[in-house]
Amino acid sequence: VQLQASGGGLVQAGESLRLFCAASGDITSITVMGWFRQAPGKQRELVALTADGEGTRYADSVKGRFSSSREYARKTTYLQMNSLKPEDTAVYYCNAQIPTAVAGVHKYYWGQGTQVTVSS
């Protein structure tokens, strides 16, 4: 299983960016798919996750500014980031949680990370 993310870059505060991620490989289903981020010196944190049959869960810090969705058939997800702030600067990682042969157990897969830098 591979996750390929794209769309990062350098923008000014208030501008927008859109990240895209596509999963490939031997995948029967993806239970949860979305985005985490990690800023320098900080732990990786949830940004937005969409689970099967449920809505998208967002970090409080991005609610109202970011939106995310999945296209289940194509195994893709995007993250639309508006009104970006310098504190959004981080490496953004695509995440997919895929069921294993053990009931209720999922394996986490990560993309390679894409840098988002927001200047003030």
Side-chain angles (χ1 to χ4, degrees):
V1 175
Q2 290 188 328
L3 299 179
Q4 183 67 43
S6 61
L10 171 64
V11 296
Q12 292 187 333
E15 294 185 340
S16 299
L17 276 176
R18 185 181 177 98
L19 305 183
F20 179 80
C21 177
S24 61
D26 185 14
I27 303 170
T28 301
S29 65
I30 301 175
T31 303
V32 179
M33 195 172 187
W35 300 90
F36 287 72
R37 68 185 181 187
Q38 188 166 18
K42 294 187 178 181
Q43 290 188 332
R44 191 171 297 190
E45 63 176 2
L46 179 151
V47 177
L49 287 178
T50 305
D52 281 356
E54 301 178 16
T56 300
R57 178 162 62 111
Y58 295 95
D60 288 343
S61 60
V62 307
K63 284 180 181 176
R65 299 188 298 122
F66 291 12
S67 62
S68 182
S69 185
R70 292 174 56 180
E71 188 166 348
Y72 288 81
R74 296 186 180 184
K75 301 181 179 63
T76 60
T77 185
Y78 74 85
L79 181 68
Q80 177 67 39
M81 305 183 291
N82 299 326
S83 302
L84 282 161
K85 303 176 180 180
E87 51 262 45
D88 295 318
T89 295
V91 177
Y92 284 69
Y93 294 92
C94 180
N95 168 258
Q97 299 169 29
I98 295 175
T100 68
V102 179
V105 176
H106 292 73
K107 184 172 181 177
Y108 281 51
Y109 292 88
W110 299 94
Q112 79 281 14
T114 184
Q115 178 70 46
V116 172
T117 302
V118 185
S119 63
S120 57

